[in-house]
Amino acid sequence: MLNNGGMPRQVDERKFQVGKNLALTPGAVVFRNEVFELIQYQPAAACPRALVIVPPQINKFYMVDLAPGRSFAEYAVAQGVQLFCISWRNPTAAQRDWNLETYLRAAQQAFAVAREIRNADQVNVMAACAGGFTLATLLGHMAAVGDHSVASATLLVTVLDTDSPTLLASSPRSPASPPRSALARQGVLEGEEMARVFAWLRPNDLVWMFVANNWVMGNRPPAFDILYWNADNTRLPAEFHADLLRLFLENPLPHRDRLEVLGSRIDMQKVKIPFYVVAGITDHITPWEACYATRQIVKGPMTFVLSSSGHIQSIVNPPSNRKAKFYLNPDLRLDAPQWLAKATQHDGSWWTHWSEWLAERSGGEVAAPAALGNATHPATDPAPGRYVHQR
């Protein structure tokens, strides 16, 4: 009650330390400003076209670089992917005015730095959850201004149509903005507040199980890297939180010209790059049927993959997971139940399927760079950088 806001702890935090047994894939920070650091990873081989990951602003980036053997970054680098990842700064009240456009400009700048370092005209991009909504909005802006510097996009557990049924969407909707006085005063939405909301969406698994284990039985919570990452939450600036809430309530992306950002009116029908969309069959936050609705929003060729896991486990799904399965069905004209009924089950992780898909869009293979960064953007701090340690 005194030390964790009245909630039982979900993880034994003593067992983990970022940079010691988490986020160990070799790399370096090659760009830093007040909003983000850009980490470039050292590849064994490389392709001309880099992959830039846009992580959610709600948690820290190392969801893609957990313990060795379970790290997506480690796997991608081993496949010859020239990988870059944004690490968002953990905002304080001083950054209360950061909004959606702040993060859109930051992601666009990260893409430009990666292209410059790789001396390439295009990059591939990947994002998850709230980062996926940010990325999709940016792609809409880029399509509006004729910017073709993104070759393909991978969206992980991302809902673009917020009218789709989700647990979050089950709350009453109102066209009016909710009271913002408390949030405006404190300047940020604390990560603990968001974590509490998400925990109570699944109370049996995320609250009462730990009440029984920790408080009743007197045991320590488990030592699990995903739960440690989940507890290592971040704050959201007040203006960005307001933008997210407005986007959730107004659901602009399925509708032409309903959203204006960076001086452009967004028409997602103009986004015609290839998409690789991953959803989790047991995901309670972004249900797979809601992720599947992306096929009606973007017009580029889309590969939809359904993983046999939940929200985060669908992302952290290494080939060493013997229980992993995924489902494929190229016929996206079908509704969700029909798609699943006719889908083909594949044993193993979608990571392997994705790496083959990405290789076709990465420009072949070239020699790995001898050094990270370049003269304009030299390598500085080793990965995982500084911002990931901000509390």
Side-chain angles (χ1 to χ4, degrees):
M1 294 295 293
L2 291 175
N3 299 317
N4 202 43
M7 296 290 285
R9 293 192 185 278
Q10 298 178 353
V11 64
D12 187 351
E13 297 181 2
R14 305 172 307 162
K15 305 294 185 181
F16 298 101
Q17 189 174 352
V18 175
K20 297 295 184 181
N21 57 0
L22 298 174
L24 298 183
T25 302
V29 175
V30 293
F31 180 84
R32 178 188 293 118
N33 64 16
E34 66 170 353
V35 182
F36 74 99
E37 294 176 326
L38 185 65
I39 297 170
Q40 181 185 11
Y41 291 96
Q42 181 68 59
C47 47
R49 194 172 291 153
L51 172 69
V52 183
I53 298 179
V54 182
Q57 296 89 344
I58 295 173
N59 286 93
K60 295 182 179 178
F61 85 92
Y62 65 92
M63 169 187 64
V64 301
D65 192 17
L66 290 173
R70 289 166 49 77
S71 164
F72 178 83
E74 177 188 57
Y75 174 83
V77 165
Q79 304 307 306
V81 176
Q82 178 55 77
L83 183 63
F84 292 76
C85 187
I86 291 172
S87 174
W88 299 118
R89 180 178 181 175
N90 193 2
T92 67
Q95 289 80 44
R96 66 177 69 234
D97 294 330
W98 288 6
N99 57 18
L100 174 63
E101 291 195 346
T102 304
Y103 289 100
L104 294 176
R105 291 190 184 95
Q108 197 167 23
Q109 189 168 19
F111 299 167
V113 171
R115 291 199 312 272
E116 185 177 342
I117 289 175
R118 293 300 301 142
N119 192 28
D121 294 333
Q122 290 184 307
V123 292
N124 296 306
V125 294
M126 170 185 278
C129 201
F133 206 99
T134 303
L135 174 60
T137 304
L138 178 57
L139 293 175
H141 162 70
M142 295 173 72
V145 299
D147 184 340
H148 303 293
S149 59
V150 169
S152 75
T154 300
L155 295 180
L156 310 177
V157 295
T158 298
V159 173
L160 301 183
D161 182 354
T162 61
D163 280 341
S164 299
T166 66
L167 281 178
L168 292 175
S170 64
S171 59
R173 289 170 175 258
S174 168
S177 297
R180 296 171 53 191
S181 55
L183 186 58
R185 284 195 300 272
Q186 66 188 39
V188 291
L189 178 65
E190 293 292 340
E192 291 83 358
E193 297 178 42
M194 289 185 288
R196 186 176 293 109
V197 169
F198 283 111
W200 283 107
L201 290 176
R202 267 178 62 197
N204 284 345
D205 293 334
L206 299 178
V207 180
W208 300 119
M209 182 177 73
F210 296 102
V211 167
N213 179 77
N214 306 1
W215 295 355
V216 178
M217 303 300 293
N219 299 322
R220 289 194 176 276
F224 188 31
D225 54 7
I226 290 178
L227 291 178
Y228 179 85
W229 166 83
N230 190 57
D232 190 10
N233 43 52
T234 59
R235 294 173 288 272
L236 288 184
E239 286 301 317
F240 180 60
H241 176 265
D243 283 345
L244 287 182
L245 186 60
R246 176 174 57 84
L247 293 173
F248 174 77
L249 294 173
E250 296 178 0
N251 192 27
L253 291 187
H255 306 282
R256 180 181 180 183
D257 295 343
R258 183 176 289 187
L259 174 65
E260 182 174 349
V261 294
L262 301 177
S264 300
R265 290 198 171 273
I266 304 303
D267 179 4
M268 294 302 294
Q269 301 290 298
K270 295 180 180 178
V271 181
K272 298 180 179 180
I273 61 174
F275 277 82
Y276 190 98
V277 177
V278 178
I281 198 168
T282 59
D283 190 339
H284 67 292
I285 296 175
T286 56
W288 78 267
E289 296 90 344
C291 299
Y292 183 63
T294 297
R295 78 195 197 283
Q296 298 173 325
I297 297 176
V298 297
K299 284 303 178 185
M302 178 174 145
T303 300
F304 183 77
V305 179
L306 182 59
S307 173
S308 61
S309 304
H311 190 64
I312 300 302
Q313 289 84 352
S314 291
I315 301 173
V316 185
N317 198 347
S320 59
N321 179 5
R322 296 181 179 179
K323 297 181 180 179
K325 294 187 289 289
F326 62 94
Y327 301 87
L328 294 172
N329 183 347
D331 190 354
L332 302 185
R333 299 169 300 174
L334 303 173
D335 63 23
Q338 291 174 325
W339 182 93
L340 181 57
K342 296 183 179 181
T344 303
Q345 177 182 306
H346 299 263
D347 292 333
S349 169
W350 63 266
W351 290 10
T352 56
H353 182 265
W354 168 85
S355 66
E356 295 171 1
W357 179 89
L358 188 72
E360 297 175 359
R361 294 157 178 83
S362 297
E365 185 174 301
V366 297
L372 299 179
N374 63 8
T376 306
H377 305 292
T380 57
D381 296 329
R386 299 181 190 178
Y387 285 175
V388 72
H389 297 292
Q390 294 177 332
R391 295 281 182 148

